Amino acid sequence: MVTDSKTRRGTRKGSTSSSSSSSSSAPPDPLSSMLDGTDPLSMFAAASASQPAAAAVSHSSSMGDLGRKRREKEEEAVGPDFEPWSMKRGEILARFTTTEKLSINLCMGSDKGKALGPGSSAVSEKVRTRLEELDDLEEGSQKELLNLSQQDYANRIEELNQSLKEAWASDQKVKALKIVIQCSKLLSDTAVIQFYPSKFVLITDILDTFGRLVYDRIWSMCSDPRPLPESFTVEDVNDTAKETCLNWFFKIASIRELLPRLYVEAAILKCNRFLSRTGIQETLPRLTAMIRGIGDPLVAAYARAYLCRVGVEVAPHLKDSLNRNFFDLLATFRQIGGESVQNLLVVQRVEVPEYLTLYSPAINWILQCIAYRAPEVLLTEMMDRCKTMANNALLLNSIMRAFRPEFVAARATDFIGMIKDCDESGFPKHLLFGSLGRSLACADPPESERLSILNEAWKVITKVRSPQDYIGCAEVWVEFTCRHFTKREVNTVLADIIKHLTPDRAFEDAYPQLQSVIRRILTYFHDFSVLFSMERFLPFLDMFQKDGVRVEVCKSIMEVFIKHQVELTRDPVILNAMLHICKTMHDSVNSLTLEDEKRSLALLIVGFMRTVSFGRDFEQQLSFCVEARATFCNLEPVLVQLVHTVNQLAMETRRVMRGSHSRKTAAFVRACAAYSFITIPSLSSIFTRLNLYLLSGQVALANQCLSQADAFLKAAVSVLPEVPHSISIEGKLRSSESFLLDFINNFLATLLVVPDHPEHGVLYLVRGLLNIVQDYTWEENTDAKVRVYLSALPLLAAMSQETFLYSIPKVDSNETLYGGDPKFLSEINKLCETLIGQILDHLKALARDEQSARRQSALAFSLFGVLLAHGDLRNNKLSQLAVNLWNLSHKQGLSDTRLSVRTLEHVKHQAQQPGMAHLSEAAQRLSLQTRT
């Protein structure tokens, strides 16, 4: 029985070394040396069996939460300025793709039972069974999946990842280990070499899952009775957890093949914390040395990348291991020119430059780990080392991507010199300039060197023949150009891009890069008079010929314009360009366009129009609105905004031109009214039409254009019968009644100042409105029509006054036209009697319906309030009607008691005012009823 943890530790290390080396002096296998004793797996099983199962279950959920929080804290060890692997994962999967068929060859082991017979209880038999089970991890049933597409391959790997989690959750630890081992073996397959970086990403996801499961399992075993502290030491770990941890390392040490043994042990590297203070520090160099046994340089490069990845997560301070991996990687570069690699490239028809790019993710990651918070002198050392190497372009590319942009920008001229000296056949120079450009987009080189840097870079970029390679590099340098130079240089760059991408319509395959160019330009050019004065900017936009992409680009331009164009403009360069862009957005609208998209486009166009102002050149402003109406006829919110703009223009004209050129001003206002009168009928929203008719009528009235005002108001009355019972608001149907009542109330308030037409009789607009209300088909069980009548009574009362409550300057209302004529007052009284009669009839109808008692009470009280405020209660009939309405409203005890008390107090207060004594008698007849 093994009892000393240090002894066990040494034994495990010896085992691993022996499995990865052919030395004859290797120590004996730790598993074989214990055939005559109890192996660690059996000890762990016995210890586990002695613990109540319920205890494990009770801690599982809480341990999971604690484990997740612990991992989040540990991931922050390298700081937020370190770009994590998860940020690179998606980029690698998108970049390294293939159309060739892929295969997965799995050897999952046989499923035959390993149970011992009733009499087989000897320790040696248990150990042999355990060893056979471990051997079975690599010797079993073959399962080969052929002719898989890239997506199918990714789906199968994800299924294996789920199988791993399910096996672990069901306590099938051996099955989980089998899955991890077999997946690790797939990383030795370079049959489709272009896909290898993406395969590495997918497979290492499974390894990461396995590493987390093992670590969390052991950590949870140390959390009884209290959770293990974040900064725990080996002394805090109990013996059971140590035994379990050691068992996992023993299992992994028994894996025969080098690659899966290396990857699986690296996956659980963090578990060394449970066994020794220096476990990780001792293990990293050993695993680094093991990688030297991998023959394929590409496979070895990614193995080093994975080791550096797990190493920097658990021990970011151990830079020596990172450096050793990097130097070992450099030593393998000479293998690229070797016969085996060259033969592989010939078979797979892969060129050397394309092959070298497959190393980029691995080298970039290793260098990122090394360069993280490294001093500037390290960059100088790396550059010197790079100069002495063959095939140094790949390394140079990774150096520029890994080190801080400030360090690279300060040496930009030196890097350009090194790029010139690189062998073009080994690694394309445009990729090197692309990496340099990314650094210069984040940091500024010395000012005196900027122009020469741009010239040298563009000399290389413009010679790139492949349109995709060209635009991939050019888009990066656009930002450098915009950042440090004027529109002249930017215009030159745009012209060069158009020249390269126009032949054979190459721009159709470069829309994402072209959109990136637009975004970079808009980041630095907010003065649109400068932007649109570039000769090649609009031709550059013309390359976006795919409708969806073209509209998105136009929207991005509009958003920046609205955000930064704070001043009103009449610049013809801006207006013509923006009208062109807005027209592009408008013309994309069709019957299939979603309402949200229409609304979004309309808001952008409206935002542009609000920035347009021709000052006191009102005719030019109106001409612009006329052009805009013809251009944007399919977007209703834009037309609504145009009508508002023209109405504001009419009011501004009257204010500015008051007292001068009155004929010209009147003609212009009439032109504005005509514009609105033509535009409003094209709107589909009926309440928008009603409100704009009313608004335009009010504007015309304010400008003494009585015939135009009359036409607008008559048009509004004629539209009322078309109002539906329900309207759609934000996708939901709602009753239109409240909106209709609001409009009618506003309309009635306007009619007070509208003079009667001499050819249409007294109060023809009021009568016309009330006739429409009378004939309108209202909803059942509604008091809306009576509510309109109640609203009309105060209007009629106001019209009977000698002086109206309000008026419009220079507009003669009915108070002037009729001058208190008795016939006019008689017409008002007759109309009031008719309305009151209609209301009383409605109240009687409600009296026959017990369920309508509350409505009856409310309406009666409202009519009482109208009579009290606007009627002459010295008239006995009217006074008696008011008392009857009061009593009716309180008949069922359904009225608002507080409101009734305040109303009665108001009546009594008014009765004390001079000339209001008649209210005293009425007040005495008004009684309050209490609820029982």
Side-chain angles (χ1 to χ4, degrees):
M1 180 180 296
V2 180
T3 58
D4 183 64
S5 62
K6 292 183 180 179
T7 303
R8 290 195 304 269
R9 183 69 177 157
T11 303
R12 183 179 62 79
K13 288 169 61 179
S15 169
T16 308
S17 300
S18 66
S19 61
S20 61
S21 173
S22 59
S23 174
S24 59
S25 60
D29 178 42
L31 296 178
S32 301
S33 64
M34 290 188 290
L35 287 175
D36 56 346
T38 304
D39 70 301
L41 298 178
S42 299
M43 293 173 58
F44 168 60
S48 299
S50 64
Q51 296 177 354
V57 175
S58 65
H59 286 286
S60 60
S61 60
S62 60
M63 291 303 104
D65 293 339
L66 290 171
R68 182 171 59 256
K69 293 178 181 178
R70 169 179 42 75
R71 286 196 301 272
E72 291 173 353
K73 184 172 181 179
E74 290 172 351
E75 288 171 359
E76 297 175 358
V78 291
D81 55 335
F82 184 84
E83 184 179 6
W85 175 258
S86 58
M87 298 291 291
K88 302 178 180 295
R89 182 181 181 278
E91 178 186 352
I92 296 173
L93 291 174
R95 178 182 175 189
F96 297 96
T97 60
T98 184
T99 57
E100 297 186 30
K101 295 301 181 181
L102 304 166
S103 63
I104 298 178
N105 192 348
L106 298 176
C107 177
M108 296 306 295
S110 61
D111 294 328
K112 61 185 179 180
K114 301 289 184 181
L116 296 172
S120 302
S121 58
V123 171
S124 60
E125 287 298 324
K126 291 182 180 180
V127 175
R128 287 193 182 94
T129 300
R130 189 77 69 183
L131 290 174
E132 290 173 3
E133 189 178 57
L134 291 174
D135 286 340
D136 193 38
L137 297 178
E138 300 174 278
E139 296 177 357
S141 60
Q142 295 284 335
K143 182 179 180 182
E144 189 171 12
L145 302 175
L146 303 175
N147 297 322
L148 298 175
S149 67
Q150 178 179 322
Q151 186 59 48
D152 292 337
Y153 189 95
N155 292 340
R156 295 297 181 273
I157 297 299
E158 178 58 28
E159 288 174 6
L160 288 171
N161 201 356
Q162 293 300 319
S163 298
L164 167 64
K165 296 176 182 177
E166 292 170 3
W168 190 272
S170 59
D171 205 27
Q172 300 181 57
K173 303 298 190 297
V174 173
K175 181 180 179 181
L177 185 56
K178 287 180 182 180
I179 294 173
V180 177
I181 292 172
Q182 296 306 317
C183 289
S184 301
K185 287 183 179 181
L186 296 176
L187 290 173
S188 64
D189 177 19
T190 57
V192 184
I193 200 167
Q194 304 97 317
F195 185 65
Y196 191 85
S198 292
K199 178 194 289 188
F200 171 80
V201 170
L202 297 171
I203 299 297
T204 52
D205 283 348
I206 295 180
L207 289 164
D208 293 341
T209 299
F210 177 73
R212 286 194 298 270
L213 291 172
V214 174
Y215 186 87
D216 289 348
R217 167 61 180 159
I218 300 172
W219 188 82
S220 65
M221 297 175 67
C222 305
S223 301
D224 190 12
R226 59 181 180 274
L228 201 63
E230 299 292 343
S231 57
F232 71 89
T233 63
V234 67
E235 288 77 14
D236 299 319
V237 182
N238 58 47
D239 290 341
T240 302
K242 290 180 180 178
E243 288 296 333
T244 303
C245 184
L246 199 58
N247 278 332
W248 278 110
F249 282 109
F250 282 165
K251 290 176 183 178
I252 295 169
S254 70
I255 301 173
R256 294 172 181 167
E257 294 186 28
L258 171 61
L259 196 65
R261 183 169 72 251
L262 170 69
Y263 269 108
V264 178
E265 184 172 357
I268 67 167
L269 177 66
K270 196 197 305 190
C271 294
N272 281 279
R273 291 185 62 192
F274 298 111
L275 298 176
S276 169
R277 292 177 180 272
T278 59
I280 295 175
Q281 186 174 354
E282 295 169 358
T283 302
L284 281 173
R286 177 173 56 78
L287 295 179
T288 300
M290 286 171 63
I291 298 177
R292 296 170 187 166
I294 300 175
D296 190 309
L298 183 65
V299 176
Y302 278 92
R304 292 188 175 93
Y306 185 70
L307 183 59
C308 290
R309 178 151 76 83
V310 296
V312 81
E313 288 177 0
V314 300
H317 60 286
L318 297 179
K319 294 286 187 179
D320 289 344
S321 174
L322 299 174
N323 294 336
R324 287 187 187 181
N325 276 284
F326 178 67
F327 295 142
D328 285 353
L329 177 62
L330 297 184
T332 64
F333 272 22
R334 58 177 176 267
Q335 292 180 259
I336 295 175
E339 183 178 354
S340 61
V341 172
Q342 293 301 315
N343 290 339
L344 175 65
L345 299 184
V346 170
V347 171
Q348 299 203 28
R349 299 178 182 179
V350 175
E351 299 294 332
V352 171
E354 182 183 0
Y355 174 71
L356 289 176
T357 59
L358 301 177
Y359 286 83
S360 295
I363 298 177
N364 290 345
W365 178 259
I366 295 173
L367 270 174
Q368 177 183 323
C369 297
I370 293 175
Y372 178 64
R373 294 182 179 175
E376 194 169 0
V377 67
L378 181 60
L379 175 57
T380 304
E381 180 184 342
M382 288 289 183
M383 293 174 67
D384 293 340
R385 182 180 290 272
C386 188
K387 293 175 183 177
T388 64
M389 289 183 55
N391 295 323
N392 64 348
L394 178 62
L395 175 61
L396 181 61
N397 184 66
S398 297
I399 288 175
M400 289 188 292
R401 294 175 69 99
F403 280 87
R404 290 173 57 185
E406 295 84 358
F407 295 169
V408 176
R411 296 166 174 75
T413 302
D414 295 337
F415 275 111
I416 288 178
M418 294 176 67
I419 293 173
K420 287 182 178 180
D421 296 337
C422 287
D423 182 8
E424 180 72 30
S425 63
F427 194 86
K429 288 186 179 180
H430 70 269
L431 294 180
L432 297 175
F433 273 107
S435 297
L436 178 60
R438 290 184 183 90
S439 294
L440 297 183
C442 302
D444 300 334
E447 186 174 357
S448 59
E449 301 175 8
R450 292 171 186 172
L451 183 58
S452 62
I453 290 172
L454 179 61
N455 288 334
E456 291 296 332
W458 211 261
K459 286 179 184 177
V460 175
I461 296 171
T462 194
K463 293 178 181 178
V464 178
R465 294 184 178 180
S466 167
Q468 283 297 317
D469 292 341
Y470 167 82
I471 190 60
C473 189
E475 67 157 315
V476 176
W477 282 87
V478 165
E479 181 159 358
F480 177 77
T481 309
C482 295
R483 188 183 180 101
H484 299 296
F485 299 97
T486 64
K487 70 172 186 178
R488 176 174 172 272
E489 289 78 12
V490 176
N491 191 62
T492 302
V493 170
L494 293 180
D496 195 59
I497 294 175
I498 294 172
K499 176 183 175 182
H500 278 78
L501 297 186
T502 300
D504 300 325
R505 299 178 66 87
F507 54 78
E508 292 182 345
D509 298 322
Y511 285 140
Q513 293 86 351
L514 294 176
Q515 285 179 276
S516 175
V517 170
I518 290 292
R519 285 194 297 270
R520 295 171 193 267
I521 292 175
L522 293 175
T523 300
Y524 294 96
F525 285 83
H526 298 154
D527 187 342
F528 280 78
S529 61
V530 173
L531 182 64
F532 290 134
S533 65
M534 294 184 197
E535 295 179 1
R536 311 311 297 170
F537 184 77
L538 290 180
F540 183 86
L541 292 183
D542 290 338
M543 288 196 294
F544 295 98
Q545 296 188 9
K546 185 178 179 181
D547 290 342
V549 177
R550 187 179 181 87
V551 172
E552 286 301 317
V553 171
C554 291
K555 287 171 66 175
S556 65
I557 295 173
M558 292 298 302
E559 288 168 356
V560 176
F561 177 83
I562 293 170
K563 180 179 180 180
H564 295 282
Q565 187 68 33
V566 293
E567 296 180 356
L568 300 177
T569 182
R570 60 185 299 174
D571 188 330
V573 174
I574 293 179
L575 297 186
N576 290 334
M578 294 304 293
L579 280 172
H580 172 73
I581 292 171
C582 291
K583 186 177 187 302
T584 299
M585 296 192 300
H586 169 270
D587 292 348
S588 69
V589 175
N590 54 45
S591 59
L592 300 179
T593 305
L594 299 175
E595 288 300 320
D596 285 347
E597 178 67 10
K598 289 182 182 179
R599 188 158 42 248
S600 174
L601 295 176
L603 286 174
L604 292 173
I605 297 174
V606 167
F608 155 64
M609 290 193 302
R610 286 175 175 168
T611 66
V612 178
S613 175
F614 290 87
R616 293 195 175 187
D617 191 347
F618 301 124
E619 293 182 357
Q620 185 65 29
Q621 185 86 33
L622 182 60
S623 298
F624 173 81
C625 291
V626 171
E627 181 183 357
R629 180 179 62 189
T631 305
F632 308 123
C633 57
N634 291 331
L635 290 175
E636 189 162 304
V638 179
L639 298 179
V640 172
Q641 177 61 37
L642 286 171
V643 174
H644 281 293
T645 300
V646 169
N647 282 325
Q648 292 172 359
L649 187 61
M651 295 301 295
E652 183 69 11
T653 303
R654 174 62 65 179
R655 185 186 67 82
V656 173
M657 306 298 291
R658 183 179 298 168
S660 61
H661 306 291
S662 57
R663 288 187 179 181
K664 184 177 181 180
T665 302
F668 181 78
V669 172
R670 287 195 292 271
C672 292
Y675 179 96
S676 299
F677 198 78
I678 294 172
T679 307
I680 294 173
S682 64
L683 304 176
S684 61
S685 172
I686 191 163
F687 280 105
T688 301
R689 273 187 283 156
L690 287 171
N691 288 317
L692 287 179
Y693 273 134
L694 179 58
L695 174 64
S696 301
Q698 292 168 343
V699 171
L701 198 61
N703 285 280
Q704 299 97 48
C705 296
L706 301 183
S707 60
Q708 284 76 17
D710 193 66
F712 281 118
L713 297 177
K714 286 168 62 177
V717 172
S718 66
V719 170
L720 284 176
E722 303 175 18
V723 176
H725 287 166
S726 59
I727 55 175
S728 177
I729 299 178
E730 297 182 352
K732 297 180 180 180
L733 286 178
R734 291 182 55 185
S735 172
S736 62
E737 185 177 287
S738 61
F739 299 97
L740 181 56
L741 290 178
D742 287 343
F743 169 77
I744 292 176
N745 287 335
N746 291 334
F747 191 87
L748 290 171
T750 302
L751 291 182
L752 178 63
V753 294
V754 177
D756 283 340
H757 195 286
E759 298 179 0
H760 295 141
V762 178
L763 303 176
Y764 82 100
L765 280 175
V766 177
R767 294 180 185 276
L769 174 65
L770 294 176
N771 288 335
I772 293 294
V773 170
Q774 177 70 26
D775 296 337
Y776 182 78
T777 305
W778 297 91
E779 298 180 27
E780 295 183 1
N781 300 321
T782 178
D783 303 319
K785 180 168 67 173
V786 177
R787 292 287 181 188
V788 174
Y789 295 160
L790 284 170
S791 299
L793 289 174
L795 169 65
L796 296 173
M799 285 182 169
S800 65
Q801 305 298 314
E802 294 183 1
T803 303
F804 285 2
L805 297 174
Y806 46 86
S807 61
I808 296 177
K810 298 183 181 180
V811 174
D812 293 332
S813 302
N814 285 338
E815 63 175 337
T816 303
L817 295 180
Y818 295 109
D821 189 316
K823 292 183 180 180
F824 175 67
L825 296 177
S826 175
E827 290 294 328
I828 292 177
N829 289 333
K830 289 179 182 179
L831 193 52
C832 288
E833 290 176 2
T834 302
L835 293 179
I836 292 175
Q838 293 283 344
I839 297 171
L840 293 176
D841 289 342
H842 183 73
L843 288 173
K844 291 178 182 178
L846 291 177
R848 292 193 295 266
D849 185 356
E850 294 182 0
Q851 296 180 354
S852 303
R854 188 176 298 277
R855 290 165 52 199
Q856 183 191 57
S857 174
L859 285 175
F861 193 83
S862 297
L863 181 54
F864 169 80
V866 170
L867 296 180
L868 179 65
H870 305 284
D872 185 0
L873 296 186
R874 286 172 294 190
N875 183 301
N876 293 332
K877 290 184 178 180
L878 202 58
S879 176
Q880 183 60 47
L881 176 60
V883 173
N884 292 341
L885 289 170
W886 173 274
N887 294 332
L888 179 61
S889 66
H890 292 77
K891 182 177 180 180
Q892 302 293 335
L894 298 174
S895 61
D896 186 335
T897 304
R898 293 183 179 179
L899 179 60
S900 299
V901 170
R902 290 199 300 270
T903 303
L904 186 55
E905 290 176 351
H906 172 73
V907 173
K908 293 178 179 179
H909 176 75
Q910 288 295 105
Q912 298 174 3
Q913 304 301 316
M916 304 294 288
H918 61 281
L919 290 179
S920 299
E921 182 182 353
Q924 294 175 0
R925 299 165 63 188
L926 302 180
S927 60
L928 291 174
Q929 295 184 7
T930 59
R931 298 178 184 178
T932 56

